[in-house]
Amino acid sequence: MRILFIGDIVGSPGRQAVERYLPRVQDVVQADIVIANGENVADGRGITPNLAEWLFDHGIDFITMGNHVWDHPKIFDFIDQEKRLVRPANFRLAPGQGYALCSVGGRQLAIVNVLGRAFMGEWDEPLAVLSAVLEEISDQATWIVVDVHAETTSEKQALAWYFDGRVSAVVGTHTHVQTADERILPGGTGYITDVGMTGPFNGIIGMKKEPILHKMITHLPARFEVADGDCQFSAVIIDCEDENGRCAAIRRVFITPDHPWPDGATFERP
């Protein structure tokens, strides 16, 4: 099975990048399922029903979230009904679901979302939460992909090592900067610290530069807004073995004005 996981989609430029690049990438990659982190899709914070439907209509099969999951009140009106939207499992008493199950090629894929705690918040501990989810779905899923939405590289790595061999892949989101450490751990779990951002190319992690620099210089409050202009597209391709769900390959996709989608690009399956 081949999964395409798209990094944090930020605002209107992120949607433009999806519209522009996802069809091109899919023509080459031919992923069996497309997952994207959509917690910043509505003006950089949260998601709305209309924008979730827009992503689904443009080729994304499931959406994971993060610490901005509740930033738009309208989410409460649809998160229980929309089973393709996966919020962090750490919010165990909140509406919605912390994981989703879907059939791909006759086998079950589980998509799990957890939040880190370091510099993030005091929600339920992700290691314990993910352990409980895996126990709950132990006989239901062949493949398991975990989106760890966290601030620190160490927390993401720790979770990946702890669950090595028990999940197909652990992919990091939230920092909006793609890391170059994709690998397969000894137990067969694919890993990358951060998939990166799909959104504005000339901002500061997706936001306009000027207010951020003004706040840094003056220490005064500033209103952060999504940057405009050129956009980038960040993702990973995850190939999983059919028999045991282990990762067979994990590869980065990074498209920017400086690094365009290469002509003749190929991503052979292992």
Side-chain angles (χ1 to χ4, degrees):
M1 184 184 65
R2 172 166 284 184
I3 302 162
L4 180 67
F5 190 103
I6 301 171
D8 306 41
I9 300 171
V10 178
S12 175
R15 301 195 299 275
Q16 292 172 21
V18 168
E19 193 169 25
R20 181 184 307 171
Y21 295 120
L22 180 54
R24 271 188 241 179
V25 173
Q26 264 291 61
D27 281 345
V28 173
V29 171
Q30 295 291 299
D32 300 301
I33 187 168
V34 180
I35 308 167
N37 186 287
E39 74 133 15
N40 298 126
V41 73
D43 295 324
R45 298 176 69 92
I47 196 168
T48 65
N50 287 342
L51 290 178
E53 289 297 335
W54 189 96
L55 294 177
F56 296 139
D57 290 344
H58 284 78
I60 292 168
D61 299 302
F62 282 84
I63 301 169
T64 57
M65 295 296 289
N67 54 303
H68 291 303
V69 60
W70 311 118
D71 282 13
H72 272 271
K74 289 183 179 179
I75 193 171
F76 293 97
D77 297 332
F78 80 105
I79 194 169
D80 277 329
Q81 288 73 42
E82 182 47 79
K83 301 305 180 184
R84 294 170 293 178
L85 184 66
V86 185
R87 52 104 172 125
N90 312 55
F91 299 124
R92 55 189 175 88
L93 300 180
Q97 57 183 356
Y99 68 88
L101 294 168
C102 62
S103 178
V104 182
R107 299 194 185 190
Q108 288 285 92
L109 167 69
I111 303 159
V112 189
N113 190 193
V114 293
L115 272 174
R117 293 181 74 183
F119 305 114
M120 294 279 284
E122 293 302 319
W123 30 73
D124 294 346
E125 207 288 315
L127 192 150
V129 167
L130 187 50
S131 295
V133 169
L134 295 184
E135 184 175 350
E136 185 174 336
I137 65 174
S138 60
D139 59 348
Q140 300 180 62
T142 304
W143 306 296
I144 303 170
V145 175
V146 183
D147 174 358
V148 179
H149 198 80
E151 187 75 33
T152 67
T153 56
S154 56
E155 188 172 25
K156 295 176 187 181
Q157 287 185 350
L159 282 166
W161 279 107
Y162 187 82
F163 292 102
D164 181 27
R166 299 172 60 188
V167 301
S168 304
V170 172
V171 297
T173 57
H174 178 66
T175 69
H176 292 197
V177 178
Q178 189 179 81
T179 55
D181 62 338
E182 71 277 16
R183 62 179 294 189
I184 301 174
L185 300 179
T189 293
Y191 174 73
I192 186 169
T193 296
D194 205 284
V195 180
M197 177 190 69
T198 295
F201 179 60
N202 288 315
I204 296 175
I205 61 170
M207 299 294 114
K208 290 181 178 178
K209 301 184 290 294
E210 294 78 13
I212 294 175
L213 294 172
H214 177 76
K215 183 175 182 179
M216 291 176 67
I217 294 166
T218 66
H219 306 290
L220 295 174
R223 178 181 174 84
F224 294 171
E225 297 179 346
V226 176
D228 47 25
D230 291 332
C231 53
Q232 66 182 54
F233 181 93
S234 303
V236 289
I237 304 161
I238 304 164
D239 290 308
C240 299
E241 298 176 2
D242 291 338
E243 299 78 14
N244 52 28
R246 292 180 176 178
C247 182
I250 180 168
R251 287 166 281 189
R252 284 179 292 131
V253 175
F254 186 54
I255 305 172
T256 75
D258 293 340
H259 298 85
W261 183 245
D263 292 334
T266 59
F267 290 90
E268 297 295 331
R269 294 179 186 249

